[in-house]
Amino acid sequence: VLPEDVVIVSALRTPITKAKRGGLRNVPAHALLTTVLQATLKNSGVPAQDISDVVVGTALGDSQRAAQCRIAMFLAGFPES
């Protein structure tokens, strides 16, 4: 694999509940995503420092999702740079 190659190492998701009314309504998005990112690192065996980009999809997009994703990456063990 070359450094410029794109490689998908994992495809995981959070549980499905009713938006804004379901069992996870009080769990912040970054907490859910942290769990997914930690599982990705564990299952793939790829060190966090070797991952150059993380792409996350969300059904409920707003301007705060990018910040929550970055927080989740730090909490999951990804380096700052």
Side-chain angles (χ1 to χ4, degrees), residues 11-65:
L12 300 174
R13 64 158 299 121
T14 57
I16 298 172
T17 67
K18 293 181 179 181
K20 310 280 184 183
R21 299 182 315 240
L24 298 172
R25 69 183 170 277
N26 295 323
V27 180
H30 72 270
L32 292 171
L33 183 55
T34 297
T35 302
V36 170
L37 294 174
Q38 288 171 335
T40 296
L41 293 173
K42 180 180 176 187
N43 294 343
S44 70
V46 177
Q49 63 269 17
D50 290 350
I51 298 174
S52 60
D53 198 10
V54 174
V55 178
V56 177
T58 179
L60 301 173
D62 63 25
S63 62
Q64 297 300 312
R65 293 294 186 231

